[in-house]
Amino acid sequence: MNHLHRVCYVSETKKTSAGIFMDWFCFTSYFTGMENIPRDPDLQQNPRENIPEATVDSSPPKSRQRWIRSIILIALGLLFLFYFPVIRETYFRCAICGMNHTEKRVTAFGWLISSWEQPTESSDWYQANVEPEHQHTWVRTCFSQQKNCFGQVVLMQQLTSLASGPFSWLFLGDYRHIELYKRSPDPAQARALLLKLAYFEPEGSPERKVQDEIFSRFREWRSNGIPGPWPFDEGEFLSPDQPTTPDNHPSSQD
């Protein structure tokens, strides 16, 4: 083999080895992903830059959100139905005979739903022994109740500020109410005394001072059990505006 043939053989052998190496390199880079690596160093970049980052959606699915809203609305509705005071019941008592009167109103607006009277032992006694008929003078008591939509009591109040007059602060009851008329020399005097204490006189007025003085004496007398004799002088708590005979009825006040 001459020299020229040797050079061509070696060159062909080198090309064949280089070709085999390139074939092997391309075959392995196909599986390893190295064929996508740019050959230019200036163009090389992090292979993870083009991969979108996985984001975690912290918000619950829409169906779950609807369920949560529904549960909250149902809970608020139940709280409203069972614990929100919708109806207010206010209690009155006739200052003359002691009959009870109840008014049921809408709490927020004060609309009257219904009202009714309930006879008591003292009202029955008064009707049988003093006046068969009379016009009631309703005095608001110190007690009220608030109820839900189902009529269940959710709030009870007993405040002196609810009273419309000193009469409600006496808490006479049926027995003392009857005894008051029995102790009086004339039922008209007892009736006039109760009407004097039915409603508050204007604060700071001379009438209010007289009313407070009568109330103090009456309360002390009640605390002692309403013993005899009658502790008031005739005419000391009477005025021309207060009728004392059954033929002249007092006007009913709400």
Side-chain angles (χ1 to χ4, degrees), residues 197-222:
L197 302 176
Y199 301 101
F200 289 110
E201 298 289 350
E203 188 70 31
S205 63
E207 292 80 5
R208 182 62 179 270
K209 294 181 180 180
V210 174
Q211 186 182 56
D212 292 341
E213 192 272 334
I214 293 175
F215 171 75
S216 299
R217 292 166 57 191
F218 196 168
R219 182 177 58 182
E220 183 179 359
W221 186 46
R222 180 196 62 82

Side-chain angles (χ1 to χ4, degrees), residues 57-220:
D57 189 4
S58 59
S59 61
K62 292 184 178 180
S63 59
R64 184 180 177 186
Q65 291 179 356
R66 287 195 296 267
W67 274 105
I68 293 175
R69 286 196 296 265
S70 300
I71 293 174
I72 292 175
L73 291 176
I74 292 174
L76 292 176
L78 292 176
L79 288 175
F80 176 83
L81 291 176
F82 285 96
Y83 295 102
F84 188 80
V86 179
I87 300 172
R88 181 186 183 93
E89 286 190 359
T90 308
Y91 304 100
F92 299 81
R93 187 177 176 90
C94 178
I96 299 174
C97 67
M99 179 178 288
N100 292 330
H101 175 81
T102 304
E103 288 186 355
K104 183 182 293 186
R105 296 179 179 271
V106 179
T107 301
F109 304 99
W111 297 335
L112 180 64
I113 301 175
S114 61
S115 63
W116 62 92
E117 284 78 36
Q118 183 178 2
T120 61
E121 182 180 354
S122 62
S123 64
D124 293 340
W125 181 91
Y126 185 88
Q127 183 178 6
N129 295 273
V130 182
E131 290 182 278
E133 295 181 359
H134 71 282
Q135 190 170 4
H136 298 289
T137 300
W138 300 118
V139 179
R140 188 170 59 246
T141 65
C142 302
F143 183 73
S144 68
Q145 289 184 341
Q146 298 191 29
K147 300 182 178 181
N148 58 17
C149 296
F150 305 103
Q152 299 173 334
V153 179
V154 297
L155 180 63
M156 292 187 296
Q157 292 179 309
Q158 187 169 359
L159 303 172
T160 56
S161 59
L162 295 176
S164 58
F167 170 83
S168 300
W169 295 350
L170 294 172
F171 301 102
L172 289 178
D174 293 334
Y175 172 76
R176 291 190 178 93
H177 209 126
I178 296 173
E179 290 298 315
L180 174 66
Y181 280 99
K182 290 182 177 180
R183 293 288 189 272
S184 64
D186 184 358
Q189 294 188 30
R191 184 170 178 266
L193 171 62
L194 295 173
L195 289 176
K196 185 68 176 181
L197 302 176
Y199 301 101
F200 289 110
E201 298 289 350
E203 188 70 31
S205 63
E207 292 80 5
R208 182 62 179 270
K209 294 181 180 180
V210 174
Q211 186 182 56
D212 292 341
E213 192 272 334
I214 293 175
F215 171 75
S216 299
R217 292 166 57 191
F218 196 168
R219 182 177 58 182
E220 183 179 359

